[in-house]
Amino acid sequence: MSFGDPNNPYGQPQQQQPPAQGYGYPQQTPPQQQGYGYPTAPPVSQGYGGYPGAPTTMPSTVNAARIMLWVIVGLQVVGVLLYGLGAIGVAAASDSAEDPALAEALGDIPVGQMVAAAIFAAAWLVYAVMLALKFKSGGNGVRVAALVFGIITAILGVFPFLIIGLVHLVLGVLIAVFVGNANGKAWFNRPRH
């Protein structure tokens, strides 16, 4: 069996010579000839990691949830400072109070509870910072942790401080909704290399 035979159907396809360029004809490139066998594969999609539906940039709702986490971090810093300075001020005033009415009024304020609230606020601050930093590279575990964070923040915003915690309530609900929706699921379940 010879592959050089022009009548062989299994042989190499013959290359056609381009027509000679004549006077008055524009220069043209010869058309590409389709080869024998299987057709060429379609181009690979340029999605994230070759997966067509995966987002390549953080969706706006997920980015908004991350910004809300940073807002909560700022509020927690203010809360830690207020609780800490308040506890120090009440402890110092109750120790040096010469007026019995002032000492009695300050005696009703539990300094230990204020210190515990400052420690809890600082721990919540660290939790929010860790979540906000992990939004870019985190997986589904970060999504679940952000959902839990948003729900607990909303509950704590209602329970002890209804008026002051209203901002925490709204931010917590929005974080949980934005991370829990389809865009959040697609972002945190995207393939990573």
Side-chain angles (χ1 to χ4, degrees), residues 83 117 155-167 169:
Y83 276 122
I155 291 170
L156 290 176
V158 170
F159 176 62
F161 319 106
L162 182 59
I163 295 175
I164 297 172
L166 188 63
V167 175
L169 170 71

Side-chain angles (χ1 to χ4, degrees), residues 13-193:
Q14 299 294 321
Q15 297 291 332
Q16 294 181 357
Q17 296 294 330
Q21 300 295 328
Y23 178 75
Y25 289 104
Q27 296 291 329
Q28 296 178 357
T29 59
Q32 294 292 327
Q33 183 178 7
Q34 187 75 338
Y36 294 109
Y38 292 106
T40 59
V44 178
S45 65
Q46 299 301 319
Y48 193 85
Y51 295 98
T56 56
T57 59
M58 188 180 299
S60 60
T61 55
V62 177
N63 193 27
R66 185 176 64 166
I67 291 169
M68 289 176 201
L69 279 170
W70 286 114
V71 169
I72 288 179
V73 167
L75 292 173
Q76 291 300 108
V77 167
V78 170
V80 167
L81 290 174
L82 288 177
Y83 276 122
L85 293 175
I88 292 169
V90 167
S94 65
D95 289 343
S96 66
E98 288 124 14
D99 185 15
L102 180 63
E104 185 177 320
L106 290 176
D108 292 341
I109 299 174
V111 176
Q113 284 182 353
M114 291 179 76
V115 170
I119 291 171
F120 178 75
W124 208 245
L125 178 140
V126 170
Y127 186 29
V129 167
M130 287 176 23
L131 282 176
L133 291 176
K134 284 292 196 176
F135 261 49
K136 270 269 200 228
S137 62
N140 198 40
V142 174
R143 177 177 174 252
V144 171
L147 277 168
V148 169
F149 178 86
I151 292 168
I152 292 175
T153 299
I155 291 170
L156 290 176
V158 170
F159 176 62
F161 319 106
L162 182 59
I163 295 175
I164 297 172
L166 188 63
V167 175
H168 277 80
L169 170 71
V170 170
L171 291 176
V173 168
L174 288 175
I175 288 170
V177 168
F178 288 162
V179 171
N181 67 10
N183 287 338
K185 184 176 183 180
W187 174 251
F188 287 109
N189 287 333
R190 73 193 185 284
R192 285 177 271 310
H193 289 44

